[in-house]
Amino acid sequence: MSTEPAPLLALDLTGTFAFGLNGALTAVRAARLDVVGVVVLGMITALGGGVIRDVLIDSLPPATFLDWRYYTLAAAGGLIAFAVSRHLRRLEPAITVLDAVGLSTFAVIGASKALDAGLAVVPAMLLGVITAVGGGTIRDTLVGQIPTVLRTGLYAIPALVGAAVTVATTETGLYGLPATLGAAAVCFLIRMLGLHFGLNAPEPPETRPSGGGTRRRK
């Protein structure tokens, strides 16, 4: 069983369930899968980032395999997604919100665990991002899509901001439940605002054929 503080554990389990449900719903939307495929992809989304994190900080076996609550919640999210998949179109807003919840909680948890393992500031921030996007990246690869983190505006950036706030509050001695929830809220807010206003990370200038070469749009 996990020995992390109760607030962090609650946040971690919340993110696990949210990503399990969201990952399975996203898998249903991307490909026709049976119940096994839906649940497996939901669990990969929920657990993949945490497993990568624990392997990188040499925390073995990963927490996922030591606490039955993680894989149980991930599987439950996948089963719920399979049961409601016929209403997928109406669930689009919920999928978006669940994705933002999972992204926010995992960015904060990943950065916090990295600091606890003795990592420096920048590696801890990067590990927070990896925890947040790792599972979804594996899922998208398995269903033959370009990973969301590489094609969707303001996805990795909110995770990086949430991880940075976590690191900053920890390094200044302010870390606690309010700071944890605040860091997650900042990440969630940036992600949702980005979606609402259609904001994107900078993209390369568009190139289009022009005779024998390409011309950059100014």
Side-chain angles (χ1 to χ4, degrees):
M1 297 288 284
S2 176
T3 58
E4 63 185 326
L8 285 182
L9 177 60
L11 203 60
D12 207 2
L13 294 175
T14 299
T16 298
F17 178 75
F19 256 3
L21 184 55
N22 167 262
L25 287 171
T26 302
V28 170
R29 182 172 54 186
R32 291 186 60 85
L33 302 171
D34 61 15
V35 62
V36 175
V38 172
V39 173
V40 166
L41 285 179
M43 293 183 70
I44 287 173
T45 307
L47 307 176
V51 171
I52 294 172
R53 174 201 64 219
D54 290 346
V55 169
L56 291 176
I57 63 177
D58 198 26
S59 178
L60 301 173
T64 295
F65 304 126
L66 296 176
D67 192 331
W68 61 270
R69 290 173 292 187
Y70 287 100
Y71 50 81
T72 300
L73 284 171
L79 287 172
I80 292 173
F82 181 81
V84 301
S85 59
R86 70 182 63 183
H87 307 294
L88 190 60
R89 188 176 299 276
R90 286 184 290 175
L91 291 172
E92 289 288 343
I95 295 175
T96 300
V97 172
L98 287 171
D99 183 67
V101 170
L103 184 79
S104 305
T105 55
F106 277 16
V108 171
I109 292 296
S112 176
K113 289 191 175 182
L115 290 173
D116 289 342
L119 269 64
V121 169
V122 173
M125 291 166 54
L126 293 177
L127 202 56
V129 176
I130 291 172
T131 305
V133 307
T137 299
I138 298 172
R139 175 205 64 213
D140 291 344
T141 301
L142 289 175
V143 298
Q145 289 187 341
I146 297 175
T148 302
V149 67
L150 300 180
R151 59 182 168 83
T152 300
L154 296 189
Y155 196 76
I157 291 175
L160 182 60
V161 172
V165 173
T166 301
V167 170
T169 54
T170 301
E171 291 296 301
T172 55
L174 300 176
Y175 193 70
L177 181 57
T180 302
L181 295 177
V186 168
C187 177
F188 179 84
L189 184 61
I190 294 174
R191 173 62 177 155
M192 296 305 294
L193 287 175
L195 288 169
H196 181 74
F197 291 106
L199 303 177
N200 293 289
E203 298 177 352
E206 181 183 346
T207 58
R208 55 183 68 177
S210 177
T214 59
R215 180 177 62 190
R216 291 183 179 275
R217 186 180 66 184
K218 295 182 181 180

